[in-house]
Amino acid sequence: MARAIWILLLLGIGIAVAMWLAELGGTVEIKVGEAWIGTSFPIALLILCVTFLVLHGILSLIGAIRRWPGRLRNRRAWRHRQDGDAALTRALVALSAGTAEAARLEVRKARKLLGDTPQTLLLAAEAERLSGHDEAAAAVFRQLAEREDARFIGLRGLLRQAMARGDWDAALALAKEAEQVQPGAAWLREERAQLALQTHNWREALSLAPADAPRAPLALAAAGQEPDAARAAELERQAFQADPGFAPAAIAHARRLRAEGSPRRARSVLEDAWAASPHPDLAEPYLADDPDPLTRVKSVEMLIRRNPTASESRLLLARVALTAGLTGRARGALEAVVKSGTTDRRAYLMLAELEEAEHGETAEARAAQARWLREAATARPEPRWRCGHCAAEQRAWAPVCTACDTAGRVIWTAEPVAEQAAPAPGAKALSGPLQAVTG
Ligand SMILES: [Zn+2]
């Protein structure tokens, strides 16, 4: 309404001015030499306005014609980007669905439309990798690694590939390069820790291990690699302090203390270890200075005094008592173990031995022995050092499985459980920046 009033008002003013001009009259004259042009003032004004409008129109038209190819190009580029983005989305969907060929097709389309951007290159590499073309994937990762803006992505892809094929030398070089590009990247730290495990560089593995990782085995393994005795001793101490229940560390630490002339401290370390987690391997170094069978019984009582009812404590006591001829002590300990129901076949085998020691070669002893041996046959096996990956039995704890070469998986266990469907070490690295997408 207000607009209409304004327009009416303007129209009114326009007409009033026109009428005023018409009434005003007057002429405009142009005289050049003999030529003379003359017209009334309002008409001259009108001609001026019309000329201005026509000129303006012509100039605008010329500008529009000149801008036309650029606008056409922009529109085409915009359409390409739209189509390229759509192809990228379809490629992501195909990757997450695991349909490699569809992903490759869509990525090729996207690359044609959008060119080689870090995004299209990364998806191209992932699509190639998913369809098993590792060489093609590596070529794309190299292309990424050559770009200033996507260097880390390329190196990361190449590193994952190197680790997956077990090429540790190449992986180490790539990790070093990636560390320079992106110092302290969390993912890189994880990969370097994995790499240190694979290359048995325990000191590095220890320094890169996450806070919740078991440090005692790594520190002990690092001590084994340390040429400097003082530093090795320090690492053994660290291992023992990280986990006093980890028997190999306690034994190594105690051995070192003994060699340094501190047998009492060595014994106290072994006692602490037994209190934390009784382990039969702790007995031998603890009893090393006791050749006499009866003092050995006394020493064992000292060793096990903080957890005398643990089945390992009772079994150890029974063993030394039996050797010392204290058959009553031995029987008491063994019957307690059997009653507790926590034992394995060692208790039954020792009971069979005990029958012979107590009763000699009698028919009664033989019958009792046969009974214990039958029990032993069905009882749980005793724990051993085993590889948690392939379940192979190990003679002693070692940082690497002697059978399958897996690092950091030798554990003390009675149950030989092999990881059937577990991924190979380094296979974890196959999932990557697209883990959330490709699963
Ligand atoms: Zn193994």
Side-chain angles (χ1 to χ4, degrees):
M1 190 65 193
R3 233 176 120 89
I5 292 171
W6 268 111
I7 289 172
L8 274 176
L9 210 66
L10 277 175
L11 265 175
I13 291 171
I15 289 168
V17 169
M19 280 173 76
W20 176 70
L21 280 173
E23 234 171 81
L24 195 67
T27 50
V28 175
E29 292 181 19
I30 299 170
K31 203 172 163 193
V32 181
E34 290 303 305
W36 176 90
I37 304 168
T39 179
S40 70
F41 174 67
I43 297 296
L45 208 61
L46 195 67
I47 289 170
L48 210 65
C49 287
V50 169
T51 313
F52 172 77
L53 282 176
V54 167
L55 266 175
H56 179 75
I58 289 170
L59 285 176
S60 299
L61 193 68
I62 291 171
I65 289 169
R66 281 181 59 188
R67 283 196 298 275
W68 185 247
R71 281 170 70 176
L72 217 60
R73 257 202 313 278
N74 282 352
R75 193 173 304 163
R76 205 181 305 130
W78 181 79
R79 204 176 307 131
H80 275 188
R81 188 154 336 119
Q82 291 288 93
D83 292 351
D85 284 345
L88 268 188
T89 308
R90 286 195 299 272
L92 273 170
V93 170
L95 276 175
S96 54
T99 45
E101 279 315 308
R104 283 181 76 202
L105 199 76
E106 295 300 341
V107 169
R108 207 173 304 149
K109 258 187 235 166
R111 270 177 92 174
K112 213 156 113 191
L113 291 165
L114 299 176
D116 282 349
T117 67
Q119 291 86 338
T120 55
L121 285 174
L122 177 59
L123 286 187
E126 288 299 329
E128 295 292 358
R129 201 179 59 70
L130 189 66
S131 52
H133 301 111
D134 282 343
E135 257 319 302
V140 183
F141 281 133
R142 272 194 291 275
Q143 215 174 322
L144 274 166
E146 279 160 18
R147 292 174 66 111
E148 202 54 50
D149 56 350
R151 207 164 148 62
F152 185 74
I153 304 175
L155 290 172
R156 178 186 163 130
L158 291 171
L159 174 57
R160 277 160 53 205
Q161 286 192 314
M163 288 188 68
R165 33 167 221 276
D167 185 350
W168 308 122
D169 289 339
L172 271 175
L174 286 162
K176 206 175 277 177
E177 217 175 318
E179 178 71 36
Q180 277 168 5
V181 178
Q182 198 88 15
W187 167 84
L188 192 58
R189 196 184 156 87
E190 243 173 70
E191 292 309 287
R192 280 177 59 212
Q194 188 69 25
L195 201 52
L197 281 183
Q198 295 305 330
T199 51
H200 304 172
N201 184 349
W202 309 122
R203 194 173 250 285
E204 168 115 335
L206 179 66
S207 70
L208 292 170
D212 57 343
R215 301 180 72 81
L218 287 177
L220 184 60
Q225 278 180 339
E226 184 56 65
D228 183 76
R231 267 184 296 188
E234 173 55 23
L235 283 165
E236 283 164 0
R237 194 186 59 77
Q238 273 181 27
F240 171 68
Q241 278 180 346
D243 180 8
F246 180 55
I251 292 167
H253 184 41
R255 193 192 302 128
R256 188 79 63 175
L257 288 171
R258 220 171 104 89
E260 286 167 1
S262 314
R264 282 170 67 95
R265 282 177 62 202
R267 282 166 81 95
S268 132
V269 161
L270 294 168
E271 284 164 15
D272 288 349
W274 193 280
S277 170
H279 193 290
D281 290 355
L282 296 167
E284 200 211 300
Y286 193 78
L287 300 173
D289 293 330
D290 294 323
D292 176 53
L294 281 173
T295 41
R296 281 166 84 86
V297 176
K298 285 252 168 294
S299 288
V300 164
E301 281 170 348
M302 189 68 184
L303 176 65
I304 66 173
R305 71 184 187 283
R306 277 185 269 169
N307 44 9
T309 56
S311 61
E312 285 298 341
S313 298
R314 282 171 166 156
L315 286 171
L316 178 62
L317 185 65
R319 168 50 61 205
V320 286
L322 193 57
T323 313
L326 305 176
T327 51
R329 287 296 301 276
R331 186 176 286 282
L334 289 173
E335 280 174 355
V337 171
V338 169
K339 209 171 141 197
S340 72
T342 56
T343 188
D344 47 58
R345 67 173 155 228
R346 284 174 297 171
Y348 300 108
L349 291 174
M350 251 193 277
L351 275 163
E353 213 180 306
L354 183 65
E355 297 297 343
E356 198 184 331
E358 274 188 336
H359 307 294
E361 283 285 317
T362 60
E364 191 193 335
R366 270 199 296 278
Q369 242 177 345
R371 187 159 57 87
W372 292 128
L373 288 174
R374 269 200 305 280
E375 294 273 6
T378 55
R380 271 192 298 133
E382 61 266 49
R384 292 242 185 264
W385 289 111
R386 279 202 173 83
C387 172
H389 182 61
C390 71
E393 203 175 302
Q394 316 283 311
R395 213 166 46 77
W397 177 84
V400 177
C401 169
T402 50
C404 71
D405 211 34
T406 303
R409 298 304 304 273
V410 175
I411 45 168
W412 180 251
T413 175
E415 314 295 332
V417 191
E419 295 168 331
Q420 292 302 330
K428 180 178 72 76
L430 277 172
S431 47
L434 289 172
Q435 190 171 23
V437 177
T438 56

